[in-house]
């Protein structure tokens, strides 16, 4: 899915970067997948995913349902469409969050510390997901200690956060 | 004595801070209303659901309560009117009591018990779980998606249910009057409509608007004050209900004064 990785060395640095990205969401559509921003607990999976498209692009429920059914089939979890988040596994929550931000039609999808969002048993599934998803506007921000986990992926590129921000979101970062 | 004065001062400051914050919150809600975002598909869905939870699910219990209160009210009013020799004024008394006082009061109490508590817990939980931050990260304004549809539904349900209360309680009253006074429905309705003035309708609308607005906006505002701890939720519930209770008294006093001076 992605060939851009950014590594942080401390929690404080990650939080600072996340705050910077959140600030940018006020003016740009940026999809952020992180445990700090969970899916909405009182909405079903379908309602969670369709929410940004329905709000920003007036996507109808009927049309959206078909699209979401196809997306969930692609991710091999069509059965969860009407499930409430409380009944999902960690990995399913991560996938729902990912689909939710894709329906925002964001300029960039930023996945922050994905391993904080699922149990270790889903590691292979997550790697399969990264291999199968074709998307060139995504970036993963993870801890430097997790670098070795991505090394078997193809087209592996590392970037500095400030540089990435400046190139891709035309933001000069002085902090 | 010093502690007592400090306590009064603290309470006064707390009230002032609340009014300041709540005014800013209400102002933002009203500004959002003007943007006509209520008809956005995502927002409209929340609005319709809130109408269903607040105004439709309560209907069977509400109608039964309205009927019982209607029968009791007309029975008592008739006895009282008979005692003071004002049975011919019964229509006017029924309008004043049922339309302007009992209907908004009973509706606001029932909706506060049922919906305002649920909304407080829901919003406080969303705040605690950072779900409101999630909405903002998706460029969704919580005022448009979360607060406005709930407040608008509160106002509409308050108006609709208060009107239903008046109709059902008068119907209950008719059963009593037809049984005891041999009064026809046509005569009773004519008496009531003859005594119903435009001013009564305006006061009723003002009252149910403010009660409906307070019903949802005060619990939401109180829920937003909670910090990220589960223990804060019951405190928010208690604080929200107390504030709502004071607001209902204030609105009641305000509309009574409006009736006296206009």
């Amino acid at each position: 899915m992605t060939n851009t990785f950014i590594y942080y060395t401390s929690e404080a640095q990650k939080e600072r970067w996340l705050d910077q990205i959140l600030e940018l969401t006020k003016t740009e559509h940026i999809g952020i997948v992180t445990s700090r921003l969970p899916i909405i607990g009182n909405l079903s999976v379908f309602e969670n995913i369709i929410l940004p498209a329905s709000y920003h692009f007036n996507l109808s429920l009927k049309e959206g349902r078909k699209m979401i059914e196809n997306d969930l089939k692609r991710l091999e979890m069509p059965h969860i469409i009407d499930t409430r988040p409380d009944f999902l596994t960690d990995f399913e929550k991560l996938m729902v969050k990912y689909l939710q931000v894709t329906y925002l039609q964001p300029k960039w999808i930023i996945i922050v510390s994905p391993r904080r969002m699922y149990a270790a048993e889903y590691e292979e599934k997550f790697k399969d997901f990264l291999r199968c998803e074709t998307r060139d506007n995504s970036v993963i921000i993870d801890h430097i200690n997790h670098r070795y986990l991505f090394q078997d992926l193809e087209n592996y590129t590392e970037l500095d956060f400030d540089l990435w921000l400046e190139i891709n979101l035309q933001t000069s970062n002085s902090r | 004595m010093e502690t007592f004065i400090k306590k009064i001062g603290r309470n006064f400051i707390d009230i002032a801070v609340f009014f300041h914050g709540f005014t800013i919150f209400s102002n933002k809600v009203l500004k959002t209303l003007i943007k006509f975002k209520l008809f956005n598909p995502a927002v409209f869905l929340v609005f319709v659901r809130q109408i269903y939870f607040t105004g439709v699910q309560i209907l069977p219990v509400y109608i039964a309560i309205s009927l019982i209160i209607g029968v009791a009210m007309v029975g008592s009013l008739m006895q009282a009117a008979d005692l003071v020799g004002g049975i011919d004024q019964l229509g006017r008394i029924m309008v004043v009591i049922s339309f302007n006082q009992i209907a908004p009061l009973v509706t606001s109490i029932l909706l506060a018990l049922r919906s305002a508590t649920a909304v407080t817990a829901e919003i406080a939980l969303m705040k605690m779980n950072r779900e409101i931050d999630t909405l903002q990260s998706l460029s969704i304004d919580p005022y448009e998606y979360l607060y406005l549809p709930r407040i608008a539904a509160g106002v509409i349900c308050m108006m609709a249910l208060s009107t239903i209360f008046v109709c059902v309680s008068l119907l209950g009253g008719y059963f009593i009057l037809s049984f005891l006074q041999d009064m026809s429905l046509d005569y009773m309705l004519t008496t009531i409509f003859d005594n119903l003035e435009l001013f009564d309708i305006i006061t009723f609308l003002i009252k149910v608007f403010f009660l409906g607005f307070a019903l949802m906006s005060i619990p939401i505002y109180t829920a937003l004050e909670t910090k990220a701890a589960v223990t804060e939720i019951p405190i928010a519930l208690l604080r929200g209900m107390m504030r709502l209770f004071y607001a209902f008294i204030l609105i009641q006093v305000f509309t009574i004064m409006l009736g006296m001076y206009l």
Side-chain angles (χ1 to χ4, degrees), chain A residues 36 38 41-42 47 55-56, chain B residues 40 49 122 130 134 138 144:
Chain A
R36 210 173 104 172
N42 56 8
E47 290 162 341
Y55 181 83
H56 292 292
Chain B
N40 174 294
R49 274 189 184 166
E122 186 186 21
R130 289 175 162 168
T134 298
L138 295 167
E144 287 173 10

Side-chain angles (χ1 to χ4, degrees), chain A residues 4 57 83 88 91 95 129 154 169:
Chain A
T4 309
F57 315 114
T83 313
L88 300 177
F91 187 73
M95 291 298 105
F129 160 72
E154 290 171 8
L169 293 165

